[in-house]
Amino acid sequence: MPGPAPVELRRPEGRFALQRYPARNRDPLQAWCSADILLLDAAQESGIAGGDTLVVNDEHGALATVLRPRASWTDSALSARALADNLARNNLPPVPVYWSTVSPGSGYRLVLLRIPKQLAYFEYQLACLHAFLPPGSLLICSGMDKHLSPHTAALIERYFGSVQRHRGTRKARLFTARRGGSPAAAPPPRDSYFCAQLDAELVTGANVFSREGLDMGARFLLAQLPRLAPAARGADLACGNGVLGLTALRSGLCRTMTFADESAMAIAAARDNALTLRLPATDLQFLHGDGLLDTTERYDLVLCNPPFHQGHTVDDFAGKRLIRQAVDALAPGGVVCLVANRHLPYREILQRCLESVEELACDHRFRVWLARSGC
């Protein structure tokens, strides 16, 4: 079934056919929002050329497709893919993408930043930006009113000094500041928590799911792992800091483990935690991308604690995509074991795709599903 057609964005810079990634049929959402339009308008008013501009957190590539900045800085492999697709769709050359875990370079005169969902991640980005931007450079941040924290301006002020909060327009708002010459506050330390199941301190990251502690869904799934049959090749899909896959490896449930996530920070945390646990590098593989979509490997066990949102959009679309990826990546006789909020309709999709499905465990909040492919 063909996906939705791209939607045209008309700007003084030109006309651009844009589409969200991943695309869904009958998608009511465009690849841009009012916060993006405010940033595009502000960039045009600044008179600063794209070659001096850094775009940050460009969710579906609309900003960089229109502006063709020197670089885009993101944590999300899905956002990077959206940008690449939209540039190709409009016959435009690639824009360099830097992951959140590395510096995007220096010398930018203008930074356009979509304010992320996680305040801790926003603070991390502000600290990094202050460190590598030259004095006098202009920072313009934007977000939808319904997603903004009351602490947004205070966070910018902590690192950049004086902040101008602009009047809201089209249910979105701009904040502007300039990089001064004074030193900024020290950035917060990297998050970590003690994991009793592994008897180890595990690092997370500012944009990693459940960064302050083991979430209840993962804890519930971990309690069921001793009930699973040993598997040769395992995958931890949407791995976060890798706690599910690391436990499966450490306990001997799996001989090898692939960690897959769309977040660069999540993959970095999983790598660091594997080093902390001194797991053999030959038993590990790390995939930063669209889950298991681009791998040709086949797995005997796929563990998954799927998200119920993509960016600010909350629904079961992301979880269903991951289930389909898990199914497609199974070896004959392979098993998917996933945990989800009990109200989510995952039994139906598992039953459509796999030979047998059972509810392995259930409590007042979660269900753990075990589904097996045919031999």
Side-chain angles (χ1 to χ4, degrees):
M1 183 181 296
V7 179
E8 186 178 72
L9 173 62
R10 298 186 179 187
R11 293 283 308 165
E13 298 89 346
R15 296 183 177 185
F16 304 89
L18 301 174
Q19 188 174 72
R20 293 165 65 91
Y21 182 89
R24 61 176 93 185
N25 293 318
R26 299 182 296 277
D27 193 346
L29 301 175
Q30 299 173 330
W32 68 90
C33 66
S34 296
D36 294 315
I37 298 300
L38 289 183
L39 286 174
L40 290 173
D41 290 346
Q44 186 183 36
E45 292 171 8
S46 75
I48 298 174
D52 291 323
T53 300
L54 173 67
V55 167
V56 184
N57 305 330
D58 190 3
E59 189 169 359
H60 294 287
L63 295 172
T65 300
V66 173
L67 297 174
R68 275 91 80 197
R70 192 200 312 170
S72 177
W73 194 36
T74 183
D75 187 55
S76 171
L78 298 183
S79 295
R81 188 155 182 163
L83 171 58
D85 288 352
N86 280 322
L87 288 169
R89 186 173 288 119
N90 290 277
N91 299 311
L92 296 171
V95 169
V97 172
Y98 292 88
W99 301 122
S100 59
T101 50
V102 301
S103 169
S106 60
Y108 301 100
R109 295 174 55 212
L110 173 65
V111 175
L112 303 173
L113 186 152
R114 273 290 307 276
I115 298 170
K117 181 178 181 179
Q118 297 286 354
L119 268 185
Y121 182 44
F122 185 38
E123 184 169 5
Y124 163 85
Q125 291 184 317
L126 291 171
C128 292
L129 288 168
H130 187 275
F132 63 69
L133 289 178
S137 54
L138 178 62
L139 171 68
I140 306 177
C141 304
S142 174
M144 299 301 295
D145 287 336
K146 63 182 178 180
H147 298 142
L148 290 175
S149 163
H151 306 295
T152 297
L155 269 181
I156 301 172
E157 187 173 28
R158 179 180 180 189
Y159 291 93
F160 278 78
S162 178
V163 177
Q164 183 177 359
R165 177 173 176 160
H166 299 260
R167 294 185 63 182
T169 306
R170 297 189 292 268
K171 300 180 181 180
R173 189 177 301 275
L174 282 179
F175 303 82
T176 58
R178 285 196 180 272
R179 166 69 158 88
S182 60
R190 190 176 187 184
D191 293 294
S192 67
Y193 63 84
F194 181 77
C195 178
Q197 291 81 351
L198 289 165
D199 190 28
E201 189 78 12
L202 299 184
V203 297
T204 57
N207 200 39
V208 177
F209 172 68
S210 194
R211 64 184 178 83
E212 295 181 323
L214 183 63
D215 80 283
M216 298 303 295
R219 189 185 304 275
F220 193 50
L221 179 53
L222 287 174
Q224 316 311 318
L225 293 188
R227 302 172 59 186
L228 303 183
R233 296 158 298 176
D236 185 352
L237 179 56
C239 66
N241 72 339
V243 63
L244 297 180
L246 294 170
T247 304
L249 269 178
R250 187 81 172 273
S251 67
L253 176 61
C254 296
R255 291 204 297 270
T256 67
M257 182 61 61
T258 295
F259 298 87
D261 205 293
E262 68 106 13
S263 162
M265 283 191 170
I267 292 297
R271 284 183 186 274
D272 290 346
N273 289 326
L275 287 172
T276 296
L277 296 173
R278 299 181 179 178
L279 296 171
T282 53
D283 297 343
L284 308 169
Q285 185 180 12
F286 299 91
L287 299 178
H288 178 215
D290 187 354
L292 299 173
L293 185 66
D294 298 319
T295 184
T296 59
E297 296 291 325
R298 292 297 174 261
Y299 303 99
D300 305 298
L301 172 64
V302 177
L303 302 170
C304 190
N305 180 12
F308 51 88
H309 60 82
Q310 181 186 342
H312 291 290
T313 304
V314 177
D315 59 17
D316 58 8
F317 176 70
K320 287 179 177 179
R321 284 191 81 243
L322 289 173
I323 290 174
R324 293 188 183 96
Q325 289 183 12
V327 169
D328 291 343
L330 282 182
V335 170
V336 175
C337 185
L338 69 90
V339 62
N341 293 86
R342 58 179 297 153
H343 69 276
L344 291 173
Y346 289 159
R347 178 192 281 272
E348 290 80 1
I349 186 172
L350 289 168
Q351 287 179 327
R352 286 199 302 269
C353 298
L354 294 171
E355 186 170 278
S356 65
V357 179
E358 65 173 296
E359 185 183 285
L360 193 62
C362 179
D363 67 8
H364 68 287
R365 290 186 61 189
F366 301 103
R367 300 181 195 271
V368 174
W369 300 105
L370 191 68
R372 186 179 304 275
S373 70
C375 296

